[in-house]
Amino acid sequence: MSFYESSTFEPNVSVGYLLRVTNQMAGAGLEHVFADEGMSGIQWQVMLALQFGAASNCAELARHLNHDKGAMTRLVDQIAAHGWITRERDADDRRHVRLALTDSGRDVALHAKDRVLSCWNSWLGDWSHEEIAGLIAGLQKLRTTLSAVVA
């Protein structure tokens, strides 16, 4: 049996709508954190992806963050101009360029991370640990489902 029915559907129960609006609101709520650090939210996401080993080059970053490859190259250029990442040719395949955080990049990314966590802890302050864990588990399950059909 399907969850959604045309006769009872409205945006306030749409998973897609709720995810989009929640993401937009969270982004707006975090703008000051990133502005204070001299970066944008997407720049921080790139740096975090490098920090946690989710990607090591522009193509992997673009796939991981669902971002345009050309735009990712420009984004990496901006981050490198701050001195937060380095580019190095892969020793085994010189066509590939590996990206890595510099010490200052790691410092600024981790400082921003602490501030982001503080915001989220404040926003989720009246949620129980079980509610938060349930939300995270549900979103992870949805991500897994969508990655199988979208890939």
Side-chain angles (χ1 to χ4, degrees):
M1 181 172 161
S2 299
F3 178 79
Y4 287 113
E5 301 292 333
S6 183
S7 62
T8 59
F9 179 82
E10 62 176 276
N12 200 41
V13 296
S14 167
V15 171
Y17 170 78
L18 291 170
L19 286 171
R20 183 178 54 78
V21 169
T22 301
N23 183 54
Q24 289 172 333
M25 292 170 72
L30 291 171
E31 268 185 32
H32 73 281
V33 169
F34 303 122
D36 289 351
E37 300 295 338
M39 68 176 75
S40 67
I42 188 65
Q43 288 174 331
W44 180 70
Q45 290 174 31
V46 166
M47 293 166 61
L48 226 52
L50 294 172
Q51 171 71 27
F52 286 97
S56 64
N57 61 49
C58 279
E60 290 173 359
L61 284 167
R63 278 190 299 278
H64 177 71
L65 297 172
N66 198 26
H67 205 69
D68 177 75
K69 286 181 188 177
M72 182 58 68
T73 299
R74 291 185 295 279
L75 189 57
V76 166
D77 289 343
Q78 293 168 356
I79 299 168
H82 285 285
W84 293 334
I85 60 173
T86 60
R87 291 180 166 108
E88 294 183 19
R89 293 268 175 212
D90 188 310
D92 297 328
D93 186 344
R94 304 254 326 135
R95 294 172 297 172
H96 291 105
V97 176
R98 298 276 172 217
L99 304 172
L101 286 177
T102 63
D103 289 341
S104 67
R106 192 178 299 65
D107 290 346
V108 73
L110 294 177
H111 186 257
K113 182 186 80 165
D114 289 341
R115 294 186 61 203
V116 168
L117 295 179
S118 178
C119 287
W120 276 106
N121 283 330
S122 173
W123 298 335
L124 297 171
D126 63 346
W127 290 47
S128 71
H129 283 267
E130 292 78 19
E131 288 173 318
I132 297 167
L135 175 63
I136 291 169
L139 291 171
Q140 289 170 334
K141 183 175 181 177
L142 180 59
R143 179 188 61 197
T144 299
T145 299
L146 292 174
S147 69
V149 297
V150 174

